[in-house]
Amino acid sequence: MITFSHVYKTYPGSVHALRDVSLEIHKGEFLFLTGPSGAGKTTLFRMISAFDKPSSGKVLVAGYDIGEMTASQVPYFRRKIGVVFQDFRLLRGRTVFENVALPLEIRGEKPAVVAKRVDEVLESVGLVYKKKNFIEQLSGGEQQRVAIARSLIHQPGVLIADEPTGNLDPEMSEEIMDLLERVNAQGTTVFVATHDLELVKRRSKRVVKIRAGQIELSQ
Amino acid sequence: MASLKDDFKSFRRSWVQHTGMQLATLSVLTATFSVIVFGFALATNLKRVLASWGDSMRLAVYLEDDLVESDIDKIRSELEKIGSIKDITFVPREAATESFRTQMASYAPDLLEDADFSNSFPASFQLSVKGGFATEKDLRHLEQLSAIIQKIPGVEDVSYGQTWVKNYSAFVSALYTSSGVLGLILVCGSLFVVGNSIRASIAARREEIEILELVGATSTMIRRPFVFEGFVMGALAVVFALILNFGFHVWQKSFMATSFVMARLVPVISFLDPLVLVAFIIGGGFVGAFGAWLAVRKINDGWSASQGLEI
């Protein structure tokens, strides 16, 4: 599903963000990416979500070669993945429904199809009763669940989550991780970056540790 | 995402979120378009006034002194053969003298007592030209016409106020050229204003754009609402500019009606034709859309769009 093969990423000023990274993530896997700040987690995620290209090596995600992808292919590739951020990245001034529906509206789906699918996905994250609420009216945990619902509405093969629990209390963090596990149980590959090692320990999942741009451990 | 309804929703949202900025943009655009509309209306009405003056212009064909009636008839028939002449009026020597006396009576009564002035004016034909006179092309036509008439036997001289006509023609040309140049400068200014407004709007909505990129919106999907916003802003500004100018036009007409000198121009003066109004509104929309397009053409250029994003 995701393959990194001898990937290097060097930014101007000879900043080596990734060095000879090779990694294989299989379809339906759930894994954590951990490592200190500046280790290269962000760069790795930027490549998976086509926000950056490798300087050398090969990155394959859902059948797309990120290094060879043209600018016009990027939006269509992004429609095949789901991305969740620590800061939720939701549209203020819009309702839960409008935020969650966005990926399907972009694809030009019919309103009836969109409405049905939004209800389904909000049901799965337990927020169907808040679909008419504005984002500003939700708690942090609820906002993250909306972000997850938005990332799942188009049934992506891969869901990447960057510090999805970074802004949440421990109880809410557990809820979000449970939700991500449920998503994974339905066949979606889930890749979560986190600093929270306790949270990682409590889940028996594959862990990839990265330090100074190199994979230190993949177990 | 791509429906007109969504574009309007986006426009409304932009107004609600950035009311002050949008109002400022609309005001500046309205002021700019007001000047353009004013210039155009002024040029159009001056053209009408000048054309009405041109219509009243006459060619005087002065005849030699020793002509008999049959010679005069021959000249008339020669003049009638010329297609571009609208009407021909013969003015005998006595009528010309009498006309002069009538006009000069109050200014120089002593002069009229002079015997030399009693019969010193030649007989003439007064001609009016089809299509009036309003442009430099008409001036050339008038010169050619004058040269043809001059060659008719028995014609002493042809006069149409050559100096006045040349000055008049140069004034009309200068008016059109300066209006065009001013219009062009103001249109460029409008593009700049719209572009800056849209750039500010992009900056204010950067997060929204990033989210749209994230969920797979194409460049067209992201740029379209901004271009639409530019179109609506441009068209709206022209509508307001037209309303302002119409108000000024009504006031100007009522003011002119009270003036003895300008009152006779009132029937000639009118506001812009409905088709021109529609063309202005659509044109304003396109100027706005083009200005917006110039501002957004570089956003969301595939890979480069993502450079500012942090995951």
Side-chain angles (χ1 to χ4, degrees):
Chain A
M1 197 71 192
I2 302 173
T3 306
F4 277 67
S5 182
H6 302 290
V7 173
Y8 286 81
K9 180 66 189 179
T10 308
Y11 289 110
S14 298
V15 179
H16 301 289
L18 293 180
R19 283 186 280 193
D20 196 21
V21 170
S22 291
L23 181 66
E24 187 89 22
I25 301 166
H26 300 286
K27 192 169 189 285
E29 251 193 298
F30 188 120
L31 73 159
F32 288 107
L33 176 67
T34 63
S37 294
K41 295 197 300 293
T42 296
T43 306
L44 204 86
F45 268 38
R46 283 175 70 90
M47 283 186 193
I48 295 173
S49 49
F51 284 112
D52 222 335
K53 282 186 176 186
S55 303
S56 67
K58 202 175 258 297
V59 178
L60 295 172
V61 182
Y64 283 80
D65 185 336
I66 302 294
E68 299 297 318
M69 201 182 291
T70 62
S72 59
Q73 287 177 310
V74 171
Y76 299 97
F77 164 74
R78 289 192 189 133
R79 293 178 194 184
K80 291 187 183 296
I81 62 168
V83 187
V84 176
F85 298 95
Q86 180 178 350
D87 60 357
F88 322 133
R89 297 262 170 112
L90 296 170
L91 293 172
R92 309 274 137 191
R94 296 202 201 182
T95 62
V96 168
F97 179 92
E98 286 170 330
N99 269 278
V100 176
L102 201 59
L104 292 186
E105 286 179 345
I106 278 171
R107 287 166 164 222
E109 294 286 359
K110 290 177 181 166
V113 174
V114 174
K116 184 170 176 285
R117 183 74 190 125
V118 170
D119 278 352
E120 284 171 5
V121 78
L122 282 178
E123 185 71 51
S124 72
V125 298
L127 280 177
V128 73
Y129 68 102
K130 290 208 167 176
K131 70 175 178 180
K132 288 180 181 170
N133 285 43
F134 284 92
I135 293 304
E136 294 83 346
Q137 297 169 317
L138 305 182
S139 69
E142 286 171 333
Q143 288 190 37
Q144 192 58 291
R145 280 193 279 162
V146 172
I148 292 171
R150 185 186 64 192
S151 70
L152 294 175
I153 192 162
H154 54 297
Q155 295 170 312
V158 182
L159 174 69
I160 59 171
D162 183 52
E163 300 284 356
T165 58
N167 282 345
L168 306 177
D169 59 50
E171 194 181 336
M172 192 53 68
S173 297
E174 289 299 331
E175 265 189 43
I176 294 297
M177 291 314 298
D178 289 345
L179 177 59
L180 291 176
E181 281 202 37
R182 287 204 299 276
V183 169
N184 174 243
Q186 287 166 5
T188 304
T189 306
V190 179
F191 194 10
V192 180
T194 182
H195 280 104
D196 190 344
L197 295 178
E198 288 304 312
L199 190 142
V200 174
K201 278 180 195 164
R202 283 195 293 274
R203 316 259 160 185
S204 351
K205 302 289 178 191
R206 186 180 160 197
V207 180
V208 174
K209 284 185 184 171
I210 188 167
R211 183 183 289 272
Q214 287 181 305
I215 300 290
E216 203 171 58
L217 173 73
S218 179
Q219 60 181 31
Chain B
M1 268 313 278
S3 75
L4 206 59
K5 189 180 158 196
D6 289 324
D7 289 337
F8 270 111
K9 270 169 79 175
S10 168
F11 179 69
R12 192 177 61 86
R13 202 176 296 122
S14 182
W15 262 88
V16 171
Q17 288 172 354
H18 314 291
T19 311
M21 189 180 73
Q22 298 284 39
L23 269 177
T25 303
L26 191 60
S27 307
V28 176
L29 273 183
T30 301
T32 310
F33 283 129
S34 291
V35 178
I36 294 175
V37 171
F38 177 78
F40 188 84
L42 182 72
T44 307
N45 276 309
L46 269 177
K47 187 180 170 186
R48 284 182 186 137
V49 169
L50 293 174
S52 76
W53 288 348
D55 277 343
S56 62
M57 201 199 65
R58 294 281 181 274
L59 258 91
V61 179
Y62 295 108
L63 306 181
E64 290 171 358
D65 283 343
D66 52 353
L67 298 181
V68 294
E69 204 170 331
S70 62
D71 294 330
I72 294 170
D73 288 343
K74 266 186 195 170
I75 293 170
R76 179 191 283 276
S77 67
E78 286 294 323
L79 290 173
E80 283 170 348
K81 284 179 195 166
I82 301 171
S84 54
I85 292 173
K86 194 159 68 180
D87 61 66
I88 302 168
T89 310
F90 178 65
V91 181
R93 296 164 63 96
E94 301 75 22
T97 307
E98 190 51 39
S99 167
F100 177 77
R101 290 174 71 88
T102 310
Q103 287 173 33
M104 296 301 290
S106 58
Y107 299 105
D110 296 342
L111 192 66
L112 300 179
E113 301 302 319
D114 191 332
D116 289 342
F117 278 94
S118 62
N119 205 15
S120 59
F121 294 91
S124 66
F125 280 106
Q126 299 290 320
L127 315 179
S128 66
V129 183
K130 281 180 186 167
F133 170 74
T135 65
E136 282 199 311
K137 191 179 158 196
D138 297 332
L139 170 66
R140 285 193 295 277
H141 175 236
L142 216 55
E143 285 168 347
Q144 287 166 0
L145 192 64
S146 169
I148 291 167
I149 296 170
Q150 191 82 57
K151 286 178 187 162
I152 299 172
V155 171
E156 173 86 40
D157 192 16
V158 180
S159 169
Y160 51 89
Q162 282 86 338
T163 309
W164 181 87
V165 164
K166 276 188 178 165
N167 289 341
Y168 166 91
S169 165
F171 175 70
V172 173
S173 294
L175 179 76
Y176 289 162
T177 309
S178 53
S179 304
V181 171
L182 181 69
L184 197 66
I185 291 169
L186 289 172
V187 166
C188 290
S190 314
L191 291 177
F192 181 74
V193 170
V194 175
N196 268 351
S197 157
I198 297 295
R199 263 187 280 274
S201 188
I202 290 167
R205 288 160 68 180
R206 186 66 220 174
E207 194 184 355
E208 184 182 332
I209 292 170
E210 287 171 359
I211 291 167
L212 289 171
E213 287 173 341
L214 181 75
V215 295
T218 61
S219 303
T220 310
M221 287 172 180
I222 290 173
R223 292 171 191 168
R224 183 180 150 143
F226 292 105
V227 174
F228 179 81
E229 186 177 321
F231 183 90
V232 176
M233 289 288 270
L236 264 181
V238 169
V239 169
F240 289 131
L242 289 172
I243 292 169
L244 284 176
N245 271 275
F246 184 72
F248 178 74
H249 166 80
V250 170
W251 172 82
Q252 183 192 33
K253 265 191 122 170
S254 64
F255 173 77
M256 285 171 74
T258 61
S259 161
F260 177 73
V261 179
M262 290 196 263
R264 62 188 199 158
L265 290 178
V266 170
V268 182
I269 305 285
S270 65
F271 198 56
L272 303 173
D273 297 333
L275 265 179
V276 175
L277 297 181
V278 173
F280 254 110
I281 294 169
I282 294 171
F286 276 105
V287 168
F290 184 61
W293 179 80
L294 287 176
V296 301
R297 73 190 196 281
K298 284 183 182 168
I299 66 164
N300 190 258
D301 190 14
W303 283 95
S304 63
S306 61
Q307 295 308 307
L309 277 179
E310 288 173 15
I311 298 180

